[in-house]
Amino acid sequence: MVKTMTKKALAVMAAGILACGLTACQSAGTDAAQTVETTAGQPQESTAMAAEKTEADTDQGTETNGQEAQETDSQEAEDTVSGSSLVVYFSWSGNTRNVAEEIGKQTGADVFELVPATPYSEDYDTVLEEAQDEQSQKARPEISDVIDGFENYDVIYLGYPNWWGDMPMIIYSFLDDYDLSGKTIIPFCTSGGSGFSGSLNTIRSLEPEATLLEGLSLGSSQASNPSDAVSNWLDTNGIEP
């Protein structure tokens, strides 16, 4: 009788040990599966992050990168668009003038036109040649008048047409003649479709102590009636008309 009970007890104990062993194995298998799943997810996440970084790195040195830098500047300078404002522009055909005057109208800023001491030709083909010659010579055309009290302006709206993928050289003259350190520059440009080209990066390199906000680029047809475009642009930069 005792032997029978002992055998039964041993059988029960063996069954219990076997059950515990199976449970431990099953638990270990589950943990292993979870570890593999987590580990398998990590390379995918790293690959995605690397792809995003590669895409960002590819954009460096391009106009897209200039725009990204502008957005950063816009965030940093969110509270700096205040004080006295001045619209400074050069216009040959009148397109940039239309935009400049609209900006002055909507913001109440003073407006100053950069007029070369030696006028450009009124013939389109000729002025293209003149502009190209100035670029090749890195000329600095003389500006016929001066801006009184320039140091009192905090915000400068800077406008120009795109000539041969760059700013007209008279804009370079302006940037050479006037100190824009500590000021906020808000650029606008008119073109036949090429936009700012690389001019935003040029402004940024020439005026490293100024803050450059998001620019406005308009085609010829838009420049003839720029009211809505200017209003939306001012709003984007946090400027209330």
Side-chain angles (χ1 to χ4, degrees):
M1 182 70 175
V2 172
K3 290 181 178 180
T4 302
M5 292 179 63
T6 301
K7 289 180 178 180
K8 289 182 177 181
L10 290 172
V12 170
M13 290 175 62
I17 293 171
L18 179 60
C20 290
L22 289 173
T23 301
C25 291
Q26 184 177 13
S27 175
T30 302
D31 292 342
Q34 291 174 345
T35 301
V36 171
E37 183 179 356
T38 303
T39 306
Q42 288 175 347
Q44 294 175 359
E45 181 179 358
S46 299
T47 300
M49 292 174 64
E52 290 176 0
K53 185 176 184 301
T54 301
E55 182 178 355
D57 289 344
T58 302
D59 287 337
Q60 291 182 351
T62 65
E63 190 65 10
T64 302
N65 184 59
Q67 292 172 354
E68 290 175 354
Q70 279 181 256
E71 292 172 1
T72 301
D73 287 350
S74 296
Q75 293 171 358
E76 292 176 351
E78 186 174 350
D79 297 326
T80 67
V81 186
S82 60
S84 186
S85 301
L86 174 67
V87 181
V88 178
Y89 74 95
F90 166 73
S91 181
W92 179 79
S93 68
N95 287 333
T96 308
R97 181 180 297 108
N98 289 340
V99 182
E101 291 177 349
E102 184 63 32
I103 294 170
K105 177 182 176 182
Q106 293 195 25
T107 64
D110 295 333
V111 179
F112 183 88
E113 180 177 5
L114 298 172
V115 178
T118 302
Y120 291 106
S121 171
E122 296 182 0
D123 177 70
Y124 178 76
D125 292 331
T126 304
V127 80
L128 288 179
E129 293 178 1
E130 292 174 343
Q132 195 170 36
D133 287 343
E134 285 186 347
Q135 282 189 5
S136 64
Q137 298 170 16
K138 298 186 183 302
R140 295 294 187 269
E142 182 183 353
I143 302 170
S144 64
D145 204 352
V146 297
I147 304 173
D148 294 327
F150 182 79
E151 66 279 2
N152 298 320
Y153 292 102
D154 302 307
V155 180
I156 306 299
Y157 296 90
L158 182 59
Y160 50 90
N162 182 324
W163 278 7
W164 295 105
D166 199 355
M167 301 180 291
M169 300 310 293
I170 195 170
I171 299 296
Y172 285 85
S173 298
F174 165 73
L175 296 175
D176 285 352
D177 292 348
Y178 294 89
D179 183 12
L180 278 75
S181 300
K183 298 185 186 296
T184 298
I185 303 174
I186 313 180
F188 60 98
C189 172
T190 60
S191 73
S194 50
F196 283 104
S197 296
S199 63
L200 295 181
N201 288 330
T202 300
I203 295 172
R204 189 174 287 108
S205 65
L206 293 175
E207 300 294 340
E209 301 302 319
T211 299
L212 187 67
L213 297 193
E214 183 172 342
L216 173 67
S217 174
L218 297 178
S220 300
S221 59
Q222 294 173 299
S224 63
N225 186 20
S227 178
D228 290 342
V230 168
S231 178
N232 293 335
W233 171 58
L234 294 175
D235 184 64
T236 297
N237 276 313
I239 304 169
E240 296 183 1

